Amino acid sequence: MASFFRRKIAAKVGRTLQQSEEAIIPALSAVPVFKKQQSDDFKLSLSTLRIRGILPSGGDIQQQTEKLASQLEQDTVVEAISAGHGAVHFQVNRELLVQKMLEQFEQERGDAFGLNSELLTALKTGTTVVEYSSPNIAKKFHAGHLRSTIIGNFIANLKQSLGNKVVRMNYLGDWGMQFGLLGAGFSQFGCEEKLEKNPLQHLFEVYVRVNKEADHDEVMRQAAREFFRQLEQRESKAVSLWKRFRDITVDEYRHVYKRLGVHFDVYSGESFHQDQAQEAVQQLQSHGLLKTSEKGTRVVDLSPAGDMSSFCTVLRSDGTSLYITRDLAAAVDRMQEYHFHEMIYVTDKSQSSHFQQLFQILDKMGHSWTDRCRHVPFGLVRGMKTRSGEVVFLEDVLDEARARMLHNMSQSKTTKDLEDPEATAETVAVSALIVQDFKGPLQSDYTFDWDRMLQAQGDTGVFLQYTHARLCSLMKKNERVDAVAFDSSLLLDPLSITILQHLLRYDEVLFQSAQDLQPKHLVNFLLKLSHLISSAHRDLPVKGSSLTLAKARLRLFSGACSVLASGMRILGMTPVDRM
Ligand code: ARG
């Protein structure tokens, strides 16, 4: 296992440099593999040792590298040591590599592979609140909400697999003037029957219609203000209509999220923090942080010089709260409720300054835990359209993705004997959405492309699923071969070794993803693994090989399959056995 070798090498280097194993480990990493080129297994970065003050940072780094390499001696585990470019390279005993890597799949459940690594122990920190998706009732569910949903789900899965308690939270836009309009509009344009049958659609229609009316009709605007006033005063008729809209929406969303493989522990929302928002303002007041602007609004001065060159409004002149005021209250409330070690907000990057201001104000209020809050911003998706046009509902994207995938699958022979082709198509299509979204840095914008993302070849979610299904079918065909005991000397060919070397990196990849919360590291790792696996299907046949060779290869395939499956699960995909 990666840890075993990393520790051995670190101990060896540590003895030479008179350092502990722990001090050396951060400078060690598995060498990324290239398909047609043999490489060493681990490298020790000299610049990291210098940065960490373990080696003097003056002098020629290459000389230092060569000197260190010559001081280290081979042993039964580490068979070759050489000086590379600014790094010492290590090759471990081949047979030991095979044994140590593959024995993990019998000892632990395969999906625990890599998770017990010493690299990851420090990342188990306590409770993580992840707030994601957070659509607005009666408004459009846009591409940004979809991105937030799948990114947040990934972060929650990752944190959870590292051993943290995770609170998955949806913070609905369920308060504000939109409900004034909706409430006032519903009595005129609403239809109970439609609301029952297709709630999201109907609420959206009413909302669009009433907005149009309000544009030119003062009476409508007046009615909306009146409804919202009633709501803020908690008048029971208004509240019960609002509650119905909310309940119906949450029910619908739950259903659609399930199709995406996403769930939430808490459906919170802006409405929950309505009253607390006023308390938060009082606290700002008592900390002497509140000022009154010329317009009569209440603001917090955020300028370094205290000259109001930048400020944030927290109360309107009529005393009502704003988006940020509710966020302030919500953050404090969540801290009290969950004692989180970390809270992560996932929204598009246009809200970056909102969160910056939020954190600044929390900090000014003296909340020492502010540095445990983090905003994960992501870029825009261009051109997410379905055949019927612009996307308004998440459901439409899922329907279209499923239909397109089903069409592609109908071209293939194996689809015919699937039990539920629609369900499989949907699962695979969701993976395609995820990989398209996760391949690049989250901050980048990208263009939505149905054809490209659904390709079976190439770096897509379909390819990952296809690889997984093919491995499952290989294993099923050989169900009766008992591969528990196998001969590790039969897996010393270059491709088998390359696959195992690639698996050595898995814990490092999880570590990296947990640091910067970017899924691309894991996606690219799994894509590479899948490419290696498809070479292995060609070059390391099971069928036609002797029983001992077949056993050894099956063992390798099954190990690769469990890493693929658990990586996919962390990303938010459900691996399929057949497609
Ligand atoms: N509902 C908001 C929107 O659609 C996103 C909420 C983000 N979370 C927060 N705590 N402000 O833009």
Side-chain angles (χ1 to χ4, degrees), residues 131 133-136 142 145 171-173 270 323 327 334 345-347 351 354-355:
E131 189 223 270
S133 198
S134 310
N136 305 314
H142 51 71
H145 293 123
Y171 182 69
L172 296 173
E270 294 181 45
Y323 182 50
D327 255 327
R334 291 175 197 173
Y345 297 90
V346 187
T347 77
Q351 298 204 30
H354 165 78
F355 285 103

Side-chain angles (χ1 to χ4, degrees), residues 221-466:
R221 286 199 291 272
Q222 183 52 43
R225 278 194 295 271
E226 176 53 22
F227 189 90
F228 190 53
R229 191 196 60 76
Q230 291 172 8
L231 202 53
E232 293 228 303
Q233 310 280 308
R234 300 285 186 273
E235 288 184 20
S236 67
K237 237 176 111 192
V239 170
S240 81
L241 190 61
W242 167 84
K243 191 169 175 316
R244 250 186 91 205
F245 292 156
R246 190 186 195 279
D247 289 349
I248 292 177
T249 304
V250 170
D251 269 356
E252 283 293 293
Y253 270 126
R254 248 191 253 264
H255 183 73
V256 197
Y257 286 132
K258 199 164 171 212
R259 292 178 60 183
L260 260 184
V262 170
H263 74 276
F264 292 91
D265 302 314
V266 187
Y267 280 87
S268 122
E270 294 181 45
S271 66
F272 285 49
H273 305 289
Q274 197 42 33
D275 300 332
Q276 293 164 351
Q278 299 296 338
E279 286 167 35
V281 173
Q282 307 258 289
Q283 274 169 26
L284 287 168
Q285 174 85 304
S286 64
H287 280 77
L289 294 167
L290 213 57
K291 293 187 178 170
T292 307
S293 76
E294 284 160 20
K295 286 187 235 149
T297 57
R298 309 284 271 163
V299 303
V300 178
D301 185 1
L302 295 176
S303 63
D307 57 5
M308 290 281 281
S309 55
S310 76
F311 62 86
C312 175
T313 308
V314 291
L315 275 189
R316 293 198 186 84
S317 51
D318 66 1
T320 53
S321 67
L322 288 97
Y323 182 50
I324 193 153
T325 329
R326 298 191 277 273
D327 255 327
L328 277 169
V332 174
D333 187 56
R334 291 175 197 173
M335 187 53 180
Q336 275 163 3
E337 170 132 23
Y338 303 110
H339 306 284
F340 56 79
H341 183 268
E342 193 177 14
M343 174 153 67
I344 297 164
Y345 297 90
V346 187
T347 77
D348 70 83
K349 59 191 177 192
S350 73
Q351 298 204 30
S352 291
S353 61
H354 165 78
F355 285 103
Q356 231 173 331
Q357 291 191 335
L358 173 64
F359 302 156
Q360 248 179 305
I361 300 176
L362 286 170
D363 189 47
K364 276 182 181 286
M365 289 169 87
H367 294 301
S368 58
W369 43 266
T370 306
D371 59 358
R372 297 194 225 154
C373 301
R374 189 160 165 188
H375 175 228
V376 176
F378 55 82
L380 237 76
V381 184
R382 287 177 295 258
M384 186 168 94
K385 287 202 181 69
T386 62
R387 285 190 218 277
S388 44
E390 205 201 354
V391 172
V392 182
F393 305 109
L394 174 56
E395 202 169 6
D396 299 337
V397 188
L398 292 175
D399 288 347
E400 176 116 356
R402 179 176 62 194
R404 285 181 184 255
M405 191 59 220
L406 201 57
H407 172 79
N408 290 4
M409 280 167 43
S410 66
Q411 325 285 87
S412 120
K413 316 193 273 305
T414 51
T415 306
K416 294 187 191 56
D417 26 84
L418 282 175
E419 229 165 80
D420 186 350
E422 290 227 331
T424 305
E426 178 149 300
T427 307
V428 176
V430 166
S431 304
L433 282 168
I434 292 175
V435 170
Q436 160 175 266
D437 199 276
F438 286 2
K439 254 195 314 193
L442 293 179
Q443 285 268 12
S444 308
D445 303 344
Y446 74 86
T447 304
F448 197 93
D449 184 337
W450 286 112
D451 291 328
R452 206 176 42 206
M453 85 183 199
L454 291 170
Q455 274 167 11
Q457 307 293 324
D459 290 348
T460 62
V462 182
F463 174 54
L464 293 183
Q465 286 286 13
Y466 174 74

